[in-house]
Every structure is written in C-alpha cells, then in structure tokens.
Amino acid sequence: MTSRAYVSSNEIPEKALAIVRGVAEASIHAADGPPSREELLREVAGVDGLLCMLTERIDGELLDAGKNLKIVSSMSVGYDHVDLEAATKRGVLVTNTPGVLTEATADTTLGLILAVARRIVEGDRYLRDGSWRLKWSPMMMVGRDVHGKTLGIYGMGRIGNSVARRATGFGMRIIYHNRSRDEESEKENGAEYRSKEELLRESDFLSVHVPLNAETRNSIGAKELAMMKPTAFLINTSRGGVVEERALVEALKAGTIAGAGLDVFEKEPIEVDNPLIGMKNVVLTPHIGSGSVESRTAMAVLAAENLAAGLKGERPPNLLNPETFKGRE
Ligand code: GLV
C-alpha cells in the first residue's frame, strides 16, 4: 500500500516534492501561508507522514489526530514547535534540518551586527525621506565600530561557530557561553569561554544562538539586560522566546543597552503596534535568518529526504528522537 503524506506549504521546491512523491501520495496545502489548525488536524488524520514548517504546532492533540503518523519532518533546524516527548511516547519519528542553513543564518547575523552598529537601515530611511540636506558633516549618522569589539556568543553550536568564524574576519574578539566548552572554536577562532554573567558584562555585541527550550526561555530578561554595557547591542537570530521582549523594549528605551538587531520575536508576525517598530536603534527583519534561495531549497530537500526515509522504514538522517527507532535497525 502506498504511503500518504501531507506537506503544509505550497512553496516547497519541485526538487523536494519529487522526493516526497517518490515514496508517497502527497497532498499539499493549497493556500498561501500556513494551514489553519482545523485544516492541519483534518489533513493529518489520513496520512503516514507530515512535512511541516515551524509555524505548525505539533502537540499531543495533533499527534492523536494523525493516528497513522509515522514521521513528522520539520523544515527547520529549531523544533520548539514540536512536543518531542509526546511524539516519542506515540512512537512518531521527528526530524529537523540542521547544517544546511548554518552559513546563511550566520550571514544574516553579521548583517544585523553591521546594520545596527553602522546605522545602515536608518541611513537608508534618512536618505529616502528627504532628511539628507547637508552634503557631509563630521557627526552625521555616525554609528559604532564593529572591528576591535567583543562579540559574545550565547550558544556555541553550529551557527554560533559560523558567526564566530566570520566575526574574526571583521577583527572582533570572541567570547562565548555554552553548556560545554568548545575547544575547537577556542583553537580556531580564539574564542574564550565565559560564565553567562561575564558574557553579558563583557560583550559589545551579544548574539543569541541557543535553541528555545524550557531552560533558555526568557533567559535574557531585565536582570540580564541590566548587566550589559550601555553601549552594547543585542542580536537575535535564534528564537524570540529566548529574550523577554517587554524587558528588551524597556532596556532600549531606557538606554540600558544601545540597540538591537532582531530577526525573531515572541509573536510572529509582530503586531503593528509592537513598540519595537517605532524605535530607531533597532533593525528588524521578518525571521529570514536562513532566507536564501539556496538554503531554503536545501532545507526543503533535506526535510523531504527525512520524510522519505521515515516512510520507507529507514532511519532518517536527522532523527531527533532515536528512542523511536530502537530495535528497528
Ligand atoms: C528557522 O528559524 C529554523 O529553525 O530553521
């Protein structure tokens, strides 16, 4: 009997869809944007595999609705939208797409560092709105140096490492905090390990690269922001939930820190009345850290390969809950 799969986005490149179609009869969400919860619950009812995005909440209710589900393959490296324990309990394999988006996300991170420190987006707006009247003046739109500054990496995983590698090319000094020491990065990038508090106190730029989980949720709040230098910038290309957004807004208003470059938010899309929108000392992008054609295509292909492997009864390359595969190899 052929397997059945549901793909929750109509923007998956043909190259990836062909892989899904090679192993399953595929039904694809037709409308733009993510499916509604109702649609998702209805669609998973009849399928063996789900290829989803980070916009879909995969919890016990959904897994119960998908009573034939063998695998949930998310086209994302982050999997905070998936209740891994609930899936494991039901024997459903869960996969993500690490690796293929590392470099693109590191590029975006550096882009935010440069943009916020050197006021590039603000400068673009200034020019376009007709504010540029004086040909040149010594202190017009001056920002802060990036070279010679200390970059603090909060979470030295794949992406943190790639950011460190790039930042050394910009003449930055690297310090980091991680659950465990990363001797390779220490050797390669001269990265120095710090306690979380030391990291907060010493960084000129603090870049968030931890995954969102119970331990890291709101782990940068008012107390942590107060430890940062008033000249420091916070950069977040991980998940909005790691930073307490209300505390960040207050810190930016009060001058506790100098600015922020944010690609992720507590609520996405952000509300039109989100106070961050009116702030000059922030650069905001709509969760496009991995947003290059090359990376998103590679993520889709990897998600399809994971799904296909799971549906064929093989171990998917990026299995997050190996317990579900025990005894099957
Ligand atoms: C993007 O945020 C991802 O987790 O892949």
Side-chain angles (χ1 to χ4, degrees):
M1 211 174 61
T2 357
S3 298
R4 296 183 60 198
Y6 178 64
V7 178
S8 72
S9 168
N10 65 5
E11 292 184 14
I12 301 301
E14 197 42 52
K15 196 171 157 188
L17 284 181
I19 297 169
V20 177
R21 291 202 185 98
V23 293
E25 209 175 277
S27 115
I28 297 156
H29 173 59
D32 292 341
S36 67
R37 181 73 177 171
E38 292 70 37
E39 182 176 353
L40 190 62
L41 288 170
R42 201 171 51 241
E43 291 290 347
V44 294
V47 298
D48 310 282
L50 169 64
L51 195 160
C52 70
M53 310 298 121
L54 56 83
T55 38
E56 280 76 72
R57 183 163 42 88
I58 310 299
D59 55 11
E61 182 195 28
L62 185 120
L63 294 161
D64 286 340
K67 45 192 176 315
N68 298 329
L69 272 180
K70 288 193 186 73
I71 175 159
V72 172
S73 166
S74 185
M75 182 183 146
S76 62
V77 66
Y79 52 90
D80 47 287
H81 56 299
V82 180
D83 184 340
L84 203 57
E85 203 183 307
T88 306
K89 222 187 272 171
R90 290 161 178 80
V92 177
L93 315 184
V94 178
T95 61
N96 67 340
T97 57
V100 291
L101 45 57
T102 302
E103 304 302 330
T105 309
D107 287 343
T108 304
T109 306
L110 262 295
L112 287 173
I113 290 174
L114 295 167
V116 72
R118 301 303 305 272
R119 302 173 68 178
I120 289 171
V121 180
E122 195 189 339
D124 177 273
R125 255 184 251 125
Y126 179 85
L127 180 153
R128 288 174 200 262
D129 74 15
S131 302
W132 187 21
R133 297 280 161 74
L134 301 170
K135 185 174 178 179
W136 189 88
S137 61
M139 289 297 171
M140 184 185 78
M141 293 238 77
V142 291
R144 291 280 175 176
D145 272 341
V146 168
H147 74 270
K149 295 293 173 73
T150 298
L151 172 64
I153 296 194
Y154 176 40
M156 190 60 109
R158 288 187 192 84
I159 298 172
N161 255 283
S162 281
V163 169
R165 210 172 305 126
R166 280 162 176 72
T168 57
F170 277 92
M172 301 184 90
R173 187 169 79 95
I174 314 295
I175 57 176
Y176 75 102
H177 179 72
N178 199 45
R179 273 181 313 184
S180 52
R181 295 280 289 256
D182 183 337
E183 276 160 29
E184 228 165 274
S185 193
E186 292 183 11
K187 239 184 268 153
E188 190 189 347
N189 307 308
E192 293 170 27
Y193 184 82
R194 294 286 186 273
S195 69
K196 186 175 162 196
E197 183 171 338
E198 287 167 342
L199 188 86
L200 290 159
R201 292 194 187 284
E202 291 179 36
S203 297
D204 296 307
F205 295 84
L206 180 74
S207 195
V208 177
H209 297 290
V210 290
L212 176 62
N213 54 40
E215 205 182 303
T216 62
R217 185 175 292 279
N218 292 333
S219 57
I220 306 286
K223 187 177 99 204
E224 288 75 17
L225 290 162
M227 291 177 190
M228 291 176 67
K229 298 180 186 179
T231 48
F233 296 93
L234 178 77
I235 310 296
N236 190 1
T237 53
S238 172
R239 284 292 183 269
V242 176
V243 177
E244 227 180 283
E245 207 167 280
R246 202 179 299 174
L248 174 62
V249 166
E250 289 312 313
L252 288 164
K253 271 193 208 155
T256 309
I257 64 170
L262 307 171
D263 184 52
V264 288
F265 305 88
E266 274 177 1
K267 185 173 183 305
E268 297 177 0
I270 63 173
E271 307 280 2
V272 286
D273 61 353
N274 186 316
L276 288 168
I277 289 178
M279 294 183 164
K280 277 193 166 172
N281 52 344
V282 298
V283 174
L284 311 172
T285 50
H287 203 146
I288 52 168
S290 62
S292 67
V293 174
E294 295 88 341
S295 287
R296 289 282 166 85
T297 303
M299 288 164 72
V301 167
L302 189 51
E305 286 170 352
N306 278 317
L307 184 88
L311 290 178
K312 284 193 284 186
E314 295 165 6
R315 186 190 169 106
N318 306 108
L319 186 58
L320 290 166
N321 50 353
E323 308 93 295
T324 53
F325 212 74
K326 256 195 205 135
R328 292 212 234 163
E329 280 170 299

